[in-house]
Amino acid sequence: MNKLIPGCVLREDVYVKTASPVMKRKTVLTDDHIYILEKFLVEDVEVFQKLANGQVFNPAGGIKEEQDDTPNDEDDQATIEKDSFLDRYLTAVQSYKKHFKNWQAGAKIEAYDVRKIFLPLYEREPNKYELMQLLALSTKQEYTYHHAVAVSIFSYLIGKAEGLKSGEVIQLGLSGLLSDCGMAKLPFSVSSKTGSLTAEEYDEIKKHPIYGYRMLESVPGFSKNALLGVLQHHEREDGSGYPLQVKRDKLHPFAKIIAIADTYHAMTSERPYRSAKSPYHVMDELLMDGFGKLDHHLIHKLIPMLTDLSIGDRVVLNNDMAGEVVFLNQERPTKPVVRLDNDKQIDLIKERDVHIEYLVSNASS
């Protein structure tokens, strides 16, 4: 077990004396997943020979790998199935990275190139499992590129849930994808930061929506709505955002949607200068702490796409205690009542500092 590394992908479901797996096949392992396996005293798991990023995994030992020499189509595929949504996601990330570096070098944005990145994602809608896996695939070093693609995905999904027409949804997705394109014009690289931003650096970062807007305003193929989404995605309902401190009645719907997608992915991802938070914790923070800053109607469009809690689910809390979900709170779906393994019940709504860290197994599996 000590040979596992983040990025390993499970070949088979993992069971621990239960009818349901504690971890499903094709889970991309993070440090948190590895910790859970150790906590449940799992000694051996089967993993693919390739990591999620396509690199070959060559442990010195301790991991059970396929020994059969019979050709196996699955072994010949990338760890993430070819042309699956996650495969398209990883392709989009690498394509965005290439273009972002070109923009840093002075190249202009071309609408055709951006649509070529986005449309394959739009054509294959992800399920809840795949959306959760996006967070595991993102890395601290590649955060800038993963963030752009993930924000695009979450944005267009919220737009669809809101009932926007297909043409608007596509423009929204493109706007989300390019919301941080202005970062390419910063005088320093955010991705290379290892500590907190200085006040001067933060002031410079707050200009990136304006830089992005200027990069796009003369490029055919992007609607005015898309440009406003880029310009306003860091504005807030109460006027506390940037760069122009626009308030609720002046905010474009695209900007309101992208703001939620941007905040959710940023808070749930490991960044060069900030650690990741649990998705369940972040969703509840959006509901509670985002009041007055983010559009609550739109937050409620996002949460059902991501939550997959049911009565009977096994969960681990951030205080390392484990238990079973026994009651779901409709208003705050990520804060259920949990019966702990010591038979005590805890209502997470009443415990502000306690939240779900991991979903260990799903009752419907």
Side-chain angles (χ1 to χ4, degrees):
M1 187 58 59
N2 60 356
K3 301 299 180 181
L4 288 175
I5 63 173
C8 286
V9 184
L10 293 178
R11 178 188 290 277
E12 302 294 342
D13 291 342
V14 178
Y15 292 85
V16 185
K17 298 180 181 179
T18 58
S20 301
V22 296
M23 211 165 286
K24 292 184 177 181
R25 177 176 179 270
K26 293 188 180 177
T27 294
V28 180
L29 298 182
T30 64
D31 286 326
D32 292 336
H33 289 118
I34 296 170
Y35 171 77
I36 291 174
L37 292 171
E38 292 172 348
K39 187 178 180 68
F40 279 86
L41 303 178
V42 177
E43 296 182 358
D44 298 289
V45 295
E46 292 193 19
V47 298
F48 286 93
Q49 293 182 347
K50 287 186 179 180
L51 301 174
N53 61 11
Q55 295 177 339
V56 176
F57 177 53
N58 290 314
I63 302 298
K64 291 164 63 176
E65 296 188 35
E66 189 71 44
Q67 300 298 319
D68 188 354
D69 291 330
T70 304
N72 187 330
D73 290 340
E74 197 168 43
D75 286 334
D76 293 335
Q77 294 176 339
T79 304
I80 303 297
E81 283 188 1
K82 186 176 180 180
D83 205 37
S84 66
F85 177 82
L86 292 176
D87 180 64
R88 293 186 181 200
Y89 168 80
L90 291 173
T91 299
V93 169
Q94 292 308 308
S95 182
Y96 180 87
K97 177 180 179 179
K98 180 187 73 174
H99 289 296
F100 187 87
K101 290 183 176 295
N102 288 339
W103 303 333
Q104 286 179 310
K108 293 184 178 180
I109 293 177
E110 299 289 343
Y112 172 80
D113 294 333
V114 179
R115 292 175 73 92
K116 192 174 179 181
I117 296 172
F118 172 71
L119 288 178
L121 300 169
Y122 175 72
E123 292 165 355
R124 179 157 296 180
E125 189 169 316
N127 56 37
K128 290 181 181 180
Y129 170 78
E130 290 167 329
L131 288 177
M132 282 296 197
Q133 287 298 91
L134 297 190
L135 308 179
L137 293 171
S138 181
T139 65
K140 185 184 299 187
Q141 296 75 19
E142 303 271 283
Y143 168 78
T144 297
Y145 321 118
H146 281 273
H147 183 64
V149 178
V151 168
S152 175
I153 293 166
F154 289 127
S155 295
Y156 96 73
L157 289 174
I158 295 172
K160 286 187 71 173
E162 186 65 355
L164 298 183
K165 296 179 181 179
S166 60
E168 293 176 300
V169 171
I170 290 173
Q171 285 292 322
L172 173 59
L174 296 175
S175 184
L177 184 64
L178 294 172
S179 57
D180 280 349
C181 69
M183 290 285 195
K185 300 304 178 184
L186 296 181
F188 64 96
S189 173
V190 177
S191 60
S192 65
K193 289 289 295 181
T194 56
S196 299
L197 295 168
T198 66
E200 293 77 14
E201 288 170 336
Y202 185 58
D203 285 342
E204 190 63 36
I205 280 180
K206 289 198 290 187
K207 298 175 185 176
H208 80 268
I210 295 176
Y211 295 154
Y213 181 88
R214 289 174 178 168
M215 290 167 70
L216 291 169
E217 61 182 341
S218 61
V219 180
F222 301 109
S223 68
K224 182 180 179 180
N225 294 342
L227 267 64
L228 286 173
V230 171
L231 179 62
Q232 296 183 344
H233 74 281
H234 279 294
E235 304 289 358
R236 294 296 180 259
E237 303 264 306
D238 60 1
S240 63
Y242 63 84
L244 303 174
Q245 289 79 53
V246 177
K247 291 188 176 182
R248 178 182 293 108
D249 58 341
K250 299 293 185 181
L251 279 176
H252 192 276
F254 278 23
K256 293 183 178 185
I257 290 172
I258 297 171
I260 293 169
D262 175 88
T263 302
Y264 173 76
H265 186 259
M267 293 176 71
T268 53
S269 299
E270 192 79 14
R271 289 182 277 173
Y273 49 88
R274 194 171 298 170
S275 58
K277 293 184 178 182
S278 157
Y280 299 99
H281 184 36
V282 169
M283 283 185 273
D284 194 65
E285 281 196 340
L286 289 179
L287 281 173
M288 304 307 295
D289 298 337
F291 189 79
K293 295 182 181 294
L294 299 170
D295 189 310
H296 261 227
H297 168 75
L298 294 172
I299 292 173
H300 279 285
K301 295 292 183 179
L302 175 67
I303 289 178
M305 302 176 197
L306 301 166
T307 53
D308 198 20
L309 291 175
S310 303
I311 292 175
D313 285 350
R314 290 279 303 167
V315 296
V316 174
L317 308 180
N318 63 310
N319 59 9
D320 287 336
M321 301 190 78
E324 179 180 303
V325 174
V326 294
F327 179 78
L328 294 172
N329 294 298
Q330 297 302 317
E331 290 303 312
R332 294 174 66 181
T334 64
K335 284 278 196 174
V337 176
V338 176
R339 181 186 295 117
L340 302 175
D341 289 344
N342 60 11
D343 285 334
K344 292 183 179 180
Q345 283 197 175
I346 179 172
D347 185 347
L348 297 185
I349 284 184
K350 298 178 180 178
E351 303 290 337
R352 181 174 176 82
D353 296 328
V354 182
H355 57 264
I356 293 173
E357 195 70 17
Y358 325 107
L359 173 62
V360 181
S361 65
N362 193 287
S364 61
S365 297

